[in-house]
Structures are given as structure tokens and as C-alpha cells.
Amino acid sequence: MKLLTKLSLLTLLAVLSFSCSTDNLDDQAEAIAKNLVVPDPKPIEVEILELINNHRLSKGLNPLNNMNIIKSQAYTHTDYMVENNIVSHDNFYKRSNYLKSNAGAIKVSENVAYGYTSAQSVVNAWIKSEGHKKNIEGDFSNFDISAEKNEDGKWYYTNIFIKK
């Protein structure tokens, strides 16, 4: 079974398991995150998150905290882009609604990219783009990223931001 299918089934199971819960959203998000399959962070992902937070700090903005539940959504989308050989925001509304329902997000945004070979190059490209820069410098509290290589060794990136 493909990883995307397994992750989707686990996510559905987690949502159904907690949909009738009366716990607050933080407890629910923590419980769901514990059941998600989230790959270990790659060095390039850690570096991207650090570069984005350093940029935010240089502008007097708060640093963002990462969250496994956000990483799981970013990973699923990056895997989708790799499998389909496309760069897109396809099904963003599903990721957004999921994070609003399960992570307490009141606002969700994302940056995607393809082909950049280093953390610095992808962050520089996002900062040079008005829309991507707006997300990086936006009023958010949490974020996470997924970076995956395709069979040809080209990187795909999904960076999701939320405000709680």
C-alpha cells in the first residue's frame, strides 16, 4: 500500500476516533498528532524552518513553532506532488479544513516550490515572491515543512503556516 494511502487512512481513522470527543482542541490535536505517521525531519527541512524564523526575527516578528500535525499535512501534499510530477496547491482547502478542525487553526496558508537544491535557495525564492513572502511574514503562530526528492533527485517542498 502506498504511503499516501496509509497516511490518508490513518488520518481518517484519527479524525473519526476523536470526532465525538469533548476534549478541548489542544488535547484533541495532541492526541491526533500522536497517531499520525510523521517522517523524521530532514536536515534541509530543519534548515528551512530556521531560515524562515531568522527572517521573521530580523523583521521584528515572532518565531513560529513547528507541529507534527502540520508536518503530516505538508508531507501528504509533497508526496502527492512527487507522485504526480506537479507543483500545485491542489486540495489546499482540505488541508486547511483539516488543520482548522484538528489543530485549532483559525487561519491557514502554504508555500510550495520545486527544484531548489538548498534550503537557502528555496527560502530566498519565497522571500523574493510577494505572495510567498506575505506568508513567511504573516500573522501566524505555527508552521512546518516537508521536502521530498523525486526519482530524478529534484526537490519538492510544501510549507504550511497556521494561526491558532
Tab-separated table of all heavy atoms in Angstrom, residues 30-63:
chain	number	residue	atom	x	y	z
A	30	GLU	N	-3.236	17.146	20.008
A	30	GLU	CA	-2.105	16.374	20.519
A	30	GLU	C	-2.357	14.881	20.350
A	30	GLU	O	-1.470	14.136	19.923
A	30	GLU	CB	-1.876	16.707	21.991
A	30	GLU	CG	-0.679	16.008	22.587
A	30	GLU	CD	-0.461	16.380	24.043
A	30	GLU	OE1	-0.713	17.537	24.407
A	30	GLU	OE2	-0.060	15.498	24.806
A	31	ALA	N	-3.567	14.433	20.647
A	31	ALA	CA	-3.897	13.012	20.509
A	31	ALA	C	-3.841	12.575	19.050
A	31	ALA	O	-3.318	11.502	18.731
A	31	ALA	CB	-5.289	12.739	21.087
A	32	ILE	N	-4.350	13.397	18.151
A	32	ILE	CA	-4.305	13.065	16.730
A	32	ILE	C	-2.862	13.029	16.251
A	32	ILE	O	-2.452	12.121	15.537
A	32	ILE	CB	-5.143	14.063	15.902
A	32	ILE	CG1	-6.630	13.835	16.179
A	32	ILE	CG2	-4.862	13.923	14.411
A	32	ILE	CD1	-7.528	14.895	15.597
A	33	ALA	N	-2.082	14.018	16.655
A	33	ALA	CA	-0.684	14.087	16.220
A	33	ALA	C	0.093	12.853	16.663
A	33	ALA	O	0.974	12.387	15.951
A	33	ALA	CB	-0.030	15.354	16.751
A	34	LYS	N	-0.219	12.304	17.816
A	34	LYS	CA	0.469	11.109	18.286
A	34	LYS	C	0.180	9.915	17.388
A	34	LYS	O	0.983	8.995	17.313
A	34	LYS	CB	0.067	10.792	19.727
A	34	LYS	CG	0.639	11.753	20.740
A	34	LYS	CD	0.190	11.409	22.131
A	34	LYS	CE	0.727	12.410	23.138
A	34	LYS	NZ	0.242	12.146	24.491
A	35	ASN	N	-0.960	9.894	16.720
A	35	ASN	CA	-1.347	8.774	15.866
A	35	ASN	C	-0.927	8.959	14.416
A	35	ASN	O	-1.103	8.057	13.619
A	35	ASN	CB	-2.864	8.555	15.933
A	35	ASN	CG	-3.289	8.042	17.297
A	35	ASN	OD1	-2.639	7.188	17.866
A	35	ASN	ND2	-4.379	8.576	17.817
A	36	LEU	N	-0.394	10.117	14.053
A	36	LEU	CA	-0.002	10.373	12.678
A	36	LEU	C	1.371	9.784	12.390
A	36	LEU	O	2.231	9.726	13.263
A	36	LEU	CB	0.042	11.879	12.407
A	36	LEU	CG	-1.287	12.608	12.464
A	36	LEU	CD1	-1.054	14.102	12.297
A	36	LEU	CD2	-2.250	12.096	11.423
A	37	VAL	N	1.540	9.373	11.156
A	37	VAL	CA	2.849	8.947	10.705
A	37	VAL	C	3.537	10.191	10.163
A	37	VAL	O	3.118	10.763	9.168
A	37	VAL	CB	2.736	7.869	9.609
A	37	VAL	CG1	4.105	7.504	9.078
A	37	VAL	CG2	2.003	6.655	10.142
A	38	VAL	N	4.560	10.620	10.879
A	38	VAL	CA	5.283	11.828	10.502
A	38	VAL	C	6.755	11.453	10.350
A	38	VAL	O	7.371	10.999	11.311
A	38	VAL	CB	5.120	12.936	11.573
A	38	VAL	CG1	5.878	14.178	11.179
A	38	VAL	CG2	3.651	13.241	11.804
A	39	PRO	N	7.297	11.638	9.149
A	39	PRO	CA	8.709	11.278	8.963
A	39	PRO	C	9.628	12.168	9.802
A	39	PRO	O	9.291	13.308	10.110
A	39	PRO	CB	8.948	11.502	7.468
A	39	PRO	CG	7.808	12.305	6.974
A	39	PRO	CD	6.693	12.182	7.952
A	40	ASP	N	10.770	11.617	10.170
A	40	ASP	CA	11.768	12.409	10.893
A	40	ASP	C	12.181	13.595	10.034
A	40	ASP	O	12.266	13.477	8.801
A	40	ASP	CB	12.999	11.563	11.223
A	40	ASP	CG	12.716	10.509	12.279
A	40	ASP	OD1	11.819	10.729	13.113
A	40	ASP	OD2	13.394	9.465	12.258
A	41	PRO	N	12.450	14.726	10.655
A	41	PRO	CA	12.859	15.901	9.873
A	41	PRO	C	14.188	15.662	9.160
A	41	PRO	O	15.116	15.099	9.735
A	41	PRO	CB	13.001	17.009	10.908
A	41	PRO	CG	12.550	16.461	12.207
A	41	PRO	CD	12.375	14.993	12.080
A	42	LYS	N	14.237	16.093	7.927
A	42	LYS	CA	15.476	16.043	7.160
A	42	LYS	C	16.281	17.307	7.474
A	42	LYS	O	15.695	18.338	7.797
A	42	LYS	CB	15.160	16.016	5.663
A	42	LYS	CG	14.416	14.787	5.205
A	42	LYS	CD	14.042	14.937	3.731
A	42	LYS	CE	13.194	13.783	3.269
A	42	LYS	NZ	11.889	13.739	3.904
A	43	PRO	N	17.590	17.240	7.355
A	43	PRO	CA	18.406	18.437	7.605
A	43	PRO	C	17.947	19.650	6.788
A	43	PRO	O	17.912	20.765	7.311
A	43	PRO	CB	19.822	17.995	7.215
A	43	PRO	CG	19.822	16.515	7.462
A	43	PRO	CD	18.428	16.059	7.087
A	44	ILE	N	17.555	19.447	5.534
A	44	ILE	CA	17.115	20.574	4.702
A	44	ILE	C	15.839	21.190	5.258
A	44	ILE	O	15.655	22.412	5.212
A	44	ILE	CB	16.972	20.168	3.219
A	44	ILE	CG1	16.853	21.423	2.337
A	44	ILE	CG2	15.808	19.204	3.010
A	44	ILE	CD1	16.978	21.145	0.844
A	45	GLU	N	14.952	20.377	5.822
A	45	GLU	CA	13.711	20.893	6.403
A	45	GLU	C	14.003	21.723	7.650
A	45	GLU	O	13.443	22.810	7.816
A	45	GLU	CB	12.761	19.731	6.742
A	45	GLU	CG	12.263	18.979	5.535
A	45	GLU	CD	11.547	17.682	5.882
A	45	GLU	OE1	11.784	17.121	6.982
A	45	GLU	OE2	10.758	17.229	5.047
A	46	VAL	N	14.867	21.204	8.507
A	46	VAL	CA	15.245	21.932	9.725
A	46	VAL	C	15.871	23.273	9.356
A	46	VAL	O	15.549	24.311	9.940
A	46	VAL	CB	16.205	21.088	10.590
A	46	VAL	CG1	16.750	21.902	11.758
A	46	VAL	CG2	15.515	19.820	11.081
A	47	GLU	N	16.729	23.257	8.341
A	47	GLU	CA	17.388	24.488	7.922
A	47	GLU	C	16.388	25.494	7.367
A	47	GLU	O	16.471	26.695	7.652
A	47	GLU	CB	18.470	24.182	6.882
A	47	GLU	CG	19.328	25.389	6.555
A	47	GLU	CD	20.457	25.069	5.585
A	47	GLU	OE1	20.686	23.893	5.256
A	47	GLU	OE2	21.100	26.040	5.145
A	48	ILE	N	15.409	25.034	6.594
A	48	ILE	CA	14.387	25.940	6.052
A	48	ILE	C	13.602	26.592	7.185
A	48	ILE	O	13.378	27.807	7.183
A	48	ILE	CB	13.447	25.202	5.076
A	48	ILE	CG1	14.193	24.835	3.794
A	48	ILE	CG2	12.207	26.054	4.753
A	48	ILE	CD1	13.450	23.863	2.895
A	49	LEU	N	13.188	25.794	8.163
A	49	LEU	CA	12.432	26.350	9.291
A	49	LEU	C	13.274	27.385	10.038
A	49	LEU	O	12.763	28.442	10.424
A	49	LEU	CB	11.984	25.228	10.229
A	49	LEU	CG	11.016	24.195	9.637
A	49	LEU	CD1	10.713	23.101	10.655
A	49	LEU	CD2	9.737	24.832	9.124
A	50	GLU	N	14.561	27.093	10.236
A	50	GLU	CA	15.444	28.043	10.918
A	50	GLU	C	15.617	29.324	10.103
A	50	GLU	O	15.591	30.428	10.659
A	50	GLU	CB	16.810	27.403	11.177
A	50	GLU	CG	16.779	26.345	12.254
A	50	GLU	CD	18.097	25.593	12.411
A	50	GLU	OE1	19.046	25.807	11.626
A	50	GLU	OE2	18.169	24.767	13.348
A	51	LEU	N	15.788	29.193	8.789
A	51	LEU	CA	15.950	30.372	7.933
A	51	LEU	C	14.703	31.246	7.951
A	51	LEU	O	14.785	32.474	8.007
A	51	LEU	CB	16.289	29.954	6.500
A	51	LEU	CG	17.686	29.402	6.281
A	51	LEU	CD1	17.788	28.729	4.909
A	51	LEU	CD2	18.730	30.514	6.424
A	52	ILE	N	13.544	30.608	7.918
A	52	ILE	CA	12.291	31.375	7.957
A	52	ILE	C	12.157	32.088	9.302
A	52	ILE	O	11.829	33.275	9.355
A	52	ILE	CB	11.077	30.469	7.656
A	52	ILE	CG1	11.085	30.085	6.169
A	52	ILE	CG2	9.765	31.168	8.041
A	52	ILE	CD1	10.047	29.051	5.784
A	53	ASN	N	12.431	31.392	10.395
A	53	ASN	CA	12.336	32.046	11.708
A	53	ASN	C	13.378	33.142	11.860
A	53	ASN	O	13.082	34.196	12.432
A	53	ASN	CB	12.424	31.021	12.841
A	53	ASN	CG	11.056	30.520	13.254
A	53	ASN	OD1	10.038	31.170	13.022
A	53	ASN	ND2	11.038	29.349	13.866
A	54	ASN	N	14.579	32.940	11.350
A	54	ASN	CA	15.591	34.005	11.396
A	54	ASN	C	15.136	35.226	10.603
A	54	ASN	O	15.334	36.368	11.041
A	54	ASN	CB	16.935	33.498	10.877
A	54	ASN	CG	17.602	32.546	11.840
A	54	ASN	OD1	17.274	32.489	13.023
A	54	ASN	ND2	18.548	31.765	11.333
A	55	HIS	N	14.514	34.999	9.449
A	55	HIS	CA	13.982	36.108	8.655
A	55	HIS	C	12.894	36.837	9.446
A	55	HIS	O	12.885	38.074	9.499
A	55	HIS	CB	13.435	35.611	7.313
A	55	HIS	CG	12.799	36.694	6.514
A	55	HIS	ND1	13.535	37.593	5.763
A	55	HIS	CD2	11.494	37.056	6.376
A	55	HIS	CE1	12.704	38.449	5.189
A	55	HIS	NE2	11.460	38.146	5.544
A	56	ARG	N	11.978	36.087	10.047
A	56	ARG	CA	10.902	36.695	10.835
A	56	ARG	C	11.485	37.524	11.982
A	56	ARG	O	11.046	38.646	12.216
A	56	ARG	CB	9.946	35.621	11.363
A	56	ARG	CG	9.075	34.984	10.279
A	56	ARG	CD	8.156	33.914	10.858
A	56	ARG	NE	7.242	34.459	11.840
A	56	ARG	CZ	6.063	35.038	11.572
A	56	ARG	NH1	5.649	35.147	10.323
A	56	ARG	NH2	5.297	35.490	12.554
A	57	LEU	N	12.457	36.967	12.685
A	57	LEU	CA	13.076	37.695	13.802
A	57	LEU	C	13.751	38.974	13.318
A	57	LEU	O	13.685	40.005	14.000
A	57	LEU	CB	14.070	36.796	14.533
A	57	LEU	CG	13.447	35.673	15.366
A	57	LEU	CD1	14.516	34.677	15.801
A	57	LEU	CD2	12.685	36.222	16.566
A	58	SER	N	14.367	38.935	12.133
A	58	SER	CA	15.035	40.130	11.595
A	58	SER	C	14.033	41.233	11.260
A	58	SER	O	14.406	42.403	11.174
A	58	SER	CB	15.858	39.774	10.348
A	58	SER	OG	15.026	39.590	9.212
A	59	LYS	N	12.769	40.869	11.101
A	59	LYS	CA	11.703	41.837	10.816
A	59	LYS	C	10.911	42.196	12.070
A	59	LYS	O	9.876	42.863	11.988
A	59	LYS	CB	10.731	41.267	9.765
A	59	LYS	CG	11.368	40.925	8.434
A	59	LYS	CD	11.830	42.173	7.746
A	59	LYS	CE	12.408	41.858	6.376
A	59	LYS	NZ	12.998	43.026	5.740
A	60	GLY	N	11.361	41.718	13.233
A	60	GLY	CA	10.669	42.009	14.488
A	60	GLY	C	9.420	41.165	14.702
A	60	GLY	O	8.576	41.518	15.529
A	61	LEU	N	9.304	40.061	13.990
A	61	LEU	CA	8.140	39.184	14.094
A	61	LEU	C	8.440	38.013	15.027
A	61	LEU	O	9.599	37.662	15.246
A	61	LEU	CB	7.763	38.660	12.707
A	61	LEU	CG	7.441	39.725	11.658
A	61	LEU	CD1	7.368	39.105	10.268
A	61	LEU	CD2	6.148	40.438	12.012
A	62	ASN	N	7.390	37.407	15.550
A	62	ASN	CA	7.552	36.251	16.425
A	62	ASN	C	8.052	35.041	15.634
A	62	ASN	O	7.667	34.852	14.482
A	62	ASN	CB	6.213	35.898	17.101
A	62	ASN	CG	5.153	35.470	16.098
A	62	ASN	OD1	4.796	36.227	15.195
A	62	ASN	ND2	4.640	34.261	16.232
A	63	PRO	N	8.902	34.210	16.261
A	63	PRO	CA	9.272	32.954	15.608
A	63	PRO	C	8.082	32.003	15.655
A	63	PRO	O	7.221	32.112	16.539
A	63	PRO	CB	10.433	32.434	16.459
A	63	PRO	CG	10.224	33.044	17.797
A	63	PRO	CD	9.559	34.381	17.552
